[in-house]
Amino acid sequence: MKDLGNLDSIKKLRKMFSGYPQSTLGIDEVLYIDTQKGIAAARYIANESMCHSGGIVQGGFITGWIDALMALACMSKCGPDALVLTLEIKVNFLNSATIGKNISTAKVIKNTKSIAFIEGKLENVEGKLIANGTCTAKLKPNFYTN
């Protein structure tokens, strides 16, 4: 998919999500951003240090990948200067993630000026669903402009 929407916002978001602290989670590349619909996708690379028994990625990393993409999707729709604070998150682990590349996608379901409802998922590169999640987030507009 191609980026859609406000190109200045997309450029700013790509820069924000390509460095620290996303780099600590193993982000490889932001794949696309749609600022009109509030949709985003990124590729993460799981390495051995993220795994527990048998090369299975620890659930905290999976939750982090989905949570980060839900924030990116929300910022794409609400503006790159909005702070997205997760109030509640639920993640369903459906299959194991293993060492290698994984794709996380997210979209905003509904938002107001102060609250957003977002859903996300993680799939391996073959398209097998690893986990899905939802969150409720508090929004602080213009946070990064100060």
Side-chain angles (χ1 to χ4, degrees), residues 92-117:
N92 299 302
F93 299 95
L94 306 168
N95 290 292
S96 297
T98 56
I99 295 170
K101 297 177 182 178
N102 295 282
I103 309 294
S104 184
T105 58
K107 67 179 177 178
V108 176
I109 303 304
K110 181 179 173 91
N111 68 284
T112 66
K113 289 183 180 182
S114 61
I115 297 288
F117 302 93

Side-chain angles (χ1 to χ4, degrees), residues 33-110:
I33 297 171
D34 182 334
T35 62
Q36 297 167 346
K37 295 181 180 176
I39 300 172
R43 181 174 49 237
Y44 287 88
I45 298 179
N47 61 50
E48 192 174 335
S49 67
M50 299 172 175
C51 297
H52 59 76
S53 53
I56 296 171
V57 177
Q58 199 273 339
F61 285 99
I62 293 168
T63 301
W65 296 336
I66 294 171
D67 187 42
L69 259 290
M70 288 191 286
L72 176 56
C74 192
M75 292 171 79
S76 73
K77 186 170 185 183
C78 300
D81 292 325
L83 177 63
V84 180
L85 300 167
T86 301
L87 296 173
E88 173 271 335
I89 188 168
K90 178 181 180 184
V91 176
N92 299 302
F93 299 95
L94 306 168
N95 290 292
S96 297
T98 56
I99 295 170
K101 297 177 182 178
N102 295 282
I103 309 294
S104 184
T105 58
K107 67 179 177 178
V108 176
I109 303 304
K110 181 179 173 91

